[in-house]
Amino acid sequence: MMASLSLSTLPTSTPTKKPLFSKTSSHVKQSHRFKVSCNSAANNNEKTVKNSETPKLILPKTPLEMQNVDRRNLLLGLGGLYGAANLTSIPSAFGTPIAAPDNISDCVTASSNLQNANDAVRGLACCPPVLSTDKPKDYVLPTNPVLRVRPAAQRATDEYIVKYKAAIQAMKNLPDEHPHSWKQQAKIHCAYCNGGYNQEQSGFPDIQLQIHNTWLFFPFHRWYLYFYERILGKLINDPTFALPYWNWDNPTGMVLPAMFETDGKRNPIFDPYRNATHLPPAIFEVGYNGTDSGATCIDQISANLSLMYKQMITNAPDTTTFFGGEFVAGDDPLNKEFNVAGSIEAGVHTAAHRWVGDPRMANSEDMGNFYSAGYDPLFYVHHANVDRMWKIWKDLGIKGHTEPTSTDWLDASYVFYDENEELVRVYNRDSVNMTAMGYDYERSEIPWLHSRSVPHTKGANVAAKLVGIVKKVEDVTFPLKLNETVKVLVKRPTKKRNKKNKQEANEMLFLNKIKFDGEEFVKFDVFVNDVDDGVETTAAESEFAGSFSQLPHGHKHGTKMSMTSGAAFGLTELLEDIEAEDDDSILVTLVPKIGCDDVTVGEIKIKLVPIV
Ligand code: C2O
């Protein structure tokens, strides 16, 4: 490890003259004075604790307080109206949101088409225990809940850690069939992600229910953690108990939190199925490709911050790009064209799963595969930070940063056992107000707010110079194979956009109908106007638009599970940075990183997406 390099020696990566966030910059100024050494980042040591606790970020108040309107009325009365906006998918015209079945006994063994189930060490029988034949009750949020404040894992006190471990141990002590047991809690993820449920509740018994790669990703996991946390609190008799969060977006949290390591004693939150080479002091990689970047500590931190900025700001300017594409009853998760995974889900979220999962295991258990991820206590701590990203994104107060408002989203619902072993149905609409849900996050600095990329090179007319050398998108035969690097020139719908234009619409690059093998870890990178100058463009530079990445949904040998998704990348700031705003066309480069041999892209286009 290198000796105490101070983060404050990093080049500040905000090259632009004007403030990026007039609304929030006054609150976050302090992070310029943020100091952490690469040593302390790696060791979670005491000094880090003190330093990072001083500056507190005060974010603006939550702009949106959802009204609790009777959902049945909304569903019947407004379904058609809202549905009209979604004419591309016929079922939503009936206003039928996705719902987990009332009859949880209809749950089936996950991915039962697995050819080599023996490889699945955690087992694929993921259905919950059936305690009664009663229908799940609609869940009512407790009035005046005791506030639970989720601490950043790297700052958690010894006292807290003892409590947290005791709670997990109590969970592990329960009989496996108990709905609160460690195994049953883990299986929830497998059932919802690996085909345990279908859409019978909404009239589509032959279609799977899936909460990944869609706008259900954030709310489903928020509810999952909500009950998991309440169950843990109940097990140790502490109504204020809150889960820790893995603060991977802050340099002080960019290593696996120390409490999760084996300590020679029996540590209930240790998991043997983790990548042993990624224990501290290894720095987490927000853009993890499946192989270590080899970057120095300081470069890795810088790249991480820059990628966080891209995923939270540049590539998530609106509801769809942050939450993921809409997914309503009748949509087939294995085959939904034009679907887009949210920037955080497809980005840092997937990367952390893969970075923690054990590469020696057939399916990268535990974290590296959806079916097994819930078996690692770190899963919930990782997802707490994912959930925190939702809060931060919304609290930035930027126009366009709002939750979906369609009833297809608001009324989508899942079924869980609550802390009283009561089977309850919960709705997305009740997940938007964290205060009403009774929890919050301990503040931690958000240094990536200042990590807008710097250009690798600047210059106009890159694409114009390549006409005749690189194919124009209209001359490309789709679907386009990604078994090798692909370059294509893409025309912009408009150019020379002024300030007002930019306030009205985001210019976005869309990769639609991406088909890939759902059994593989898939990742490719996307660059704009990246010309070969002999020096590789890094993910921290402006030309790097972002990545598409996917965690395997299961594992089978010999066969493929074809899935379709899409990706969107923000161009407005990118083109400003590289000074290409006046160009007619841009050069788009797709670089396969892993699992791309069978990947195809069905469409590449630039669109202006109105900011509403
Ligand atoms: Cu449900 Cu992190 O995945």
Side-chain angles (χ1 to χ4, degrees):
M1 226 42 249
M2 67 182 68
S4 295
L5 278 173
S6 162
L7 185 70
S8 56
T9 61
L10 277 178
T12 125
S13 39
T14 315
T16 36
K17 335 81 208 165
K18 52 184 189 312
L20 277 177
F21 303 107
S22 38
K23 268 200 178 158
T24 51
S25 53
S26 61
H27 298 299
V28 291
K29 264 200 199 101
Q30 301 213 11
S31 56
H32 281 311
R33 293 196 296 273
F34 186 83
K35 264 201 179 96
V36 61
S37 72
C38 267
N39 264 347
S40 56
N43 295 335
N44 291 332
N45 69 16
E46 276 303 310
K47 231 168 83 215
T48 316
V49 174
K50 297 232 176 55
N51 279 342
S52 49
E53 260 176 0
T54 359
K56 290 233 165 37
L57 176 69
I58 303 140
L59 287 161
K61 276 238 172 70
T62 305
L64 185 70
E65 296 276 320
M66 294 302 304
Q67 296 290 318
N68 253 321
V69 190
D70 179 57
R71 53 180 73 89
R72 301 294 150 201
N73 292 343
L74 267 178
L75 180 59
L76 294 173
L78 299 176
L81 184 68
Y82 277 88
N86 305 318
L87 285 176
T88 42
S89 55
I90 292 152
S92 69
F94 303 126
T96 317
I98 291 279
D102 274 343
N103 297 321
I104 53 169
S105 56
D106 289 349
C107 170
V108 295
T109 296
S111 295
S112 45
N113 55 351
L114 278 187
Q115 285 193 342
N116 198 344
N118 292 340
D119 279 347
V121 293
R122 293 302 194 179
L124 292 157
C126 298
C127 297
V130 180
L131 301 185
S132 102
T133 51
D134 293 350
K135 273 180 34 171
K137 283 197 194 120
D138 272 2
Y139 184 71
V140 182
L141 284 170
T143 37
N144 301 319
V146 193
L147 186 69
R148 299 164 191 260
V149 181
R150 297 182 178 170
Q154 78 276 21
R155 289 197 287 273
T157 61
D158 290 348
E159 193 195 350
Y160 172 84
I161 294 170
V162 168
K163 225 165 41 174
Y164 171 48
K165 288 183 179 177
I168 299 281
Q169 188 58 58
M171 195 173 242
K172 288 188 165 175
N173 292 345
L174 291 170
D176 285 354
E177 278 316 297
H178 194 290
H180 296 168
S181 76
W182 170 65
K183 272 199 183 155
Q184 292 302 336
Q185 288 298 305
K187 286 178 178 186
I188 293 171
H189 196 252
C190 170
Y192 274 93
C193 315
N194 297 73
Y197 296 116
N198 62 37
Q199 300 178 24
E200 64 186 56
Q201 191 76 16
S202 341
F204 298 91
D206 298 327
I207 303 182
Q208 270 187 20
L209 194 151
Q210 172 62 258
I211 48 81
H212 292 104
N213 280 319
T214 78
W215 65 3
L216 304 181
F217 172 77
F218 278 106
F220 168 81
H221 290 88
R222 178 167 281 188
W223 278 120
Y224 186 10
L225 263 56
Y226 174 86
F227 290 116
Y228 181 79
E229 178 171 80
R230 296 175 78 85
I231 290 166
L232 288 173
K234 181 152 182 183
L235 284 167
I236 53 167
N237 235 324
D238 180 354
T240 67
F241 175 79
L243 280 169
Y245 67 90
W246 180 14
N247 197 185
W248 33 245
D249 60 309
N250 180 302
T252 62
M254 285 179 189
V255 289
L256 193 115
M259 65 170 98
F260 289 93
E261 288 183 84
T262 173
D263 51 7
K265 292 173 246 136
R266 277 176 69 93
N267 180 359
I269 57 172
F270 169 73
D271 181 352
Y273 301 143
R274 285 185 196 140
N275 189 332
T277 68
H278 289 164
L279 303 177
I283 306 278
F284 168 57
E285 296 180 27
V286 174
Y288 187 56
N289 278 335
T291 37
D292 292 348
S293 72
T296 62
C297 162
I298 213 82
D299 284 349
Q300 190 58 55
I301 289 175
S302 164
N304 284 349
L305 293 175
S306 168
L307 281 173
M308 283 310 305
Y309 180 92
K310 279 183 211 233
Q311 292 174 20
M312 288 290 284
I313 311 287
T314 321
N315 293 336
D318 60 19
T319 309
T320 307
T321 47
F322 184 73
F323 281 88
E326 64 164 47
F327 184 64
V328 299
D331 284 342
D332 186 348
L334 302 181
N335 220 339
K336 184 161 157 66
E337 302 199 329
F338 296 101
N339 208 356
V340 179
S343 60
I344 288 293
E345 178 183 4
V348 61
H349 161 255
T350 297
H353 272 282
R354 207 58 190 183
W355 190 78
V356 176
D358 190 342
R360 296 168 306 184
M361 304 299 292
N363 309 297
S364 291
E365 283 93 348
D366 281 320
M367 278 282 275
N369 202 297
F370 281 145
Y371 100 89
S372 54
Y375 284 88
D376 190 337
L378 187 65
F379 168 87
Y380 307 87
V381 179
H382 167 43
H383 267 276
N385 206 39
V386 170
D387 184 68
R388 183 173 155 264
M389 291 305 120
W390 175 1
K391 177 182 165 51
I392 292 173
W393 182 81
K394 180 169 157 178
D395 286 353
L396 285 172
I398 296 172
K399 195 170 167 219
H401 284 212
T402 50
E403 281 102 6
T405 50
S406 146
T407 50
D408 284 333
W409 187 82
L410 293 169
D411 290 328
S413 63
Y414 326 97
V415 171
F416 290 95
Y417 279 108
D418 72 3
E419 71 275 19
N420 303 313
E421 291 165 71
E422 188 98 57
L423 192 64
V424 293
R425 180 176 294 282
V426 293
Y427 295 82
N428 281 354
R429 69 166 62 251
D430 291 327
S431 74
V432 294
N433 186 342
M434 257 174 50
T435 314
M437 290 179 90
Y439 76 94
D440 201 352
Y441 290 98
E442 175 194 280
R443 294 290 180 265
S444 191
E445 266 191 87
I446 310 176
W448 50 258
L449 278 172
H450 299 281
S451 299
R452 180 168 170 175
S453 304
V454 285
H456 184 82
T457 47
K458 286 181 193 173
N461 295 325
V462 167
K465 287 172 199 149
L466 292 169
V467 177
I469 303 169
V470 173
K471 268 195 183 172
K472 291 184 182 165
V473 76
E474 52 272 31
D475 301 330
V476 168
T477 326
F478 286 100
L480 187 60
K481 280 190 70 102
L482 269 198
N483 53 350
E484 57 183 6
T485 297
V486 167
K487 287 180 192 285
V488 54
L489 303 178
V490 187
K491 196 165 163 47
R492 299 170 63 205
T494 172
K495 55 179 182 174
K496 295 195 173 139
R497 301 207 304 141
N498 62 26
K499 206 171 154 207
K500 186 159 168 285
N501 300 147
K502 290 177 190 173
Q503 278 164 355
E504 285 166 359
N506 293 303
E507 184 173 357
M508 307 282 302
L509 169 68
F510 287 90
L511 305 186
N512 291 326
K513 299 188 234 181
I514 302 171
K515 289 207 191 303
F516 57 94
D517 182 357
E519 306 294 338
E520 295 234 25
F521 178 37
V522 170
K523 184 168 188 284
F524 64 85
D525 291 341
V526 180
F527 295 86
V528 169
N529 282 12
D530 183 31
V531 282
D532 196 2
D533 61 355
V535 186
E536 210 189 313
T537 302
T538 70
E541 291 172 315
S542 306
E543 287 86 346
F544 177 82
S547 304
F548 174 82
S549 76
Q550 279 289 328
L551 211 59
H553 289 66
H555 183 79
K556 60 187 166 177
H557 292 293
T559 48
K560 309 219 176 293
M561 180 169 88
S562 173
M563 293 189 76
T564 311
S565 189
F569 307 96
L571 291 179
T572 308
E573 284 191 356
L574 190 156
L575 296 175
E576 284 174 6
D577 290 352
I578 62 172
E579 296 178 5
E581 292 188 272
D582 297 350
D583 295 4
D584 289 313
S585 298
I586 56 169
L587 167 69
V588 174
T589 310
L590 310 179
V591 185
K593 287 293 182 185
I594 188 165
C596 290
D597 285 352
D598 301 304
V599 174
T600 60
V601 176
E603 185 179 45
I604 301 177
K605 66 152 101 173
I606 302 173
K607 275 203 300 204
L608 292 176
V609 183
I611 302 171
V612 282

